[in-house]
């Protein structure tokens, strides 16, 4: 808590020059620290912010910390699966990607106990790392209910709890739902047909 920052949102279809100068891969998110250094990759940024504002929000036990980091990496890959799900053109392609994502969610389901967080009672960086996926799935599911947590109730409860937190709700621009939904509508894919 309490790390001072300024934030700039980037139109990825129209990246400003100053952004391209500080973002080594031209991607968001990127953090520029006071001495001018640029830090990219969201998991690395999260660890960095946590490290300059201890305690670090990973489990203290090295084995547990490594397990958390590994599942954070796995969750990052799931964003790719969800990107393909969101952009599926046909019902068949959508069903195929849905089932791939469900298989991945099942692996995560095996890792969690009673919650409410991934590690139980304590909030950790892994909770925030899965939240963009949960937020996207929630908005996609509002367009067309595809029951993504039917086989993973614990992940479903984890997602619902994370999305109910004020810190999560205020972590995106106010009109994020509209912008995200509009980007799906524009794409002329399977999900978009439920909007048009
Ligand atoms: N693994 C990276 C992914 C970064 C990433 O792919 N960002 C996308 C937006 S979600 C981006 O900036 N894309 C713009 C582009 O590639 O031109 C992270 O977690 O930071």
């Amino acid at each position: 808590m309490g790390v001072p920052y300024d934030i700039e949102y980037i139109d990825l279809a129209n990246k400003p020059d100053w952004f391209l100068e500080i973002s080594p891969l031209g991607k968001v998110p990127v953090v520029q620290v006071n001495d001018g250094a640029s830090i990219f990759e969201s998991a690395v940024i999260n660890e960095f912010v946590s490290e300059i504002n201890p305690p670090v929000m990973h489990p203290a036990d090295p084995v547990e910390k490594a397990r958390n980091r590994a599942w954070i990496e796995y969750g990052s890959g799931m964003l790719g699966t969800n990107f393909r799900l969101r952009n599926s053109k046909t019902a068949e392609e959508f069903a195929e990607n849905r089932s791939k994502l469900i298989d991945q969610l099942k692996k995560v389901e095996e890792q969690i106990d009673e919650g409410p967080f991934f590690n139980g009672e304590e909030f950790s960086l892994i909770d925030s790392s899965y939240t963009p996926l949960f937020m996207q799935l929630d908005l996609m599911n509002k367009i067309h209910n595809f029951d993504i947590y039917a086989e993973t109730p614990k992940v479903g409860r984890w997602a619902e709890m994370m999305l109910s937190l004020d810190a999560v709700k205020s972590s995106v621009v106010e009109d994020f739902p509209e912008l995200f939904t509009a980007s799906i509508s524009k794409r002329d894919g399977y999900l978009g047909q439920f909007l048009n």
Side-chain angles (χ1 to χ4, degrees), residues 12 15 26-29 41-43 76:
L12 292 172
K15 300 172 188 170
K27 293 186 176 190
V28 293
E41 276 300 330
S42 36
S76 166

Side-chain angles (χ1 to χ4, degrees), residues 15-39:
K15 300 172 188 170
D17 289 342
W18 66 262
F19 166 73
L20 290 170
E21 274 160 30
I22 67 166
S23 179
L25 305 181
K27 293 186 176 190
V28 293
V30 65
V31 165
Q32 189 174 39
V33 287
N34 289 339
D35 67 2
S38 289
I39 299 174

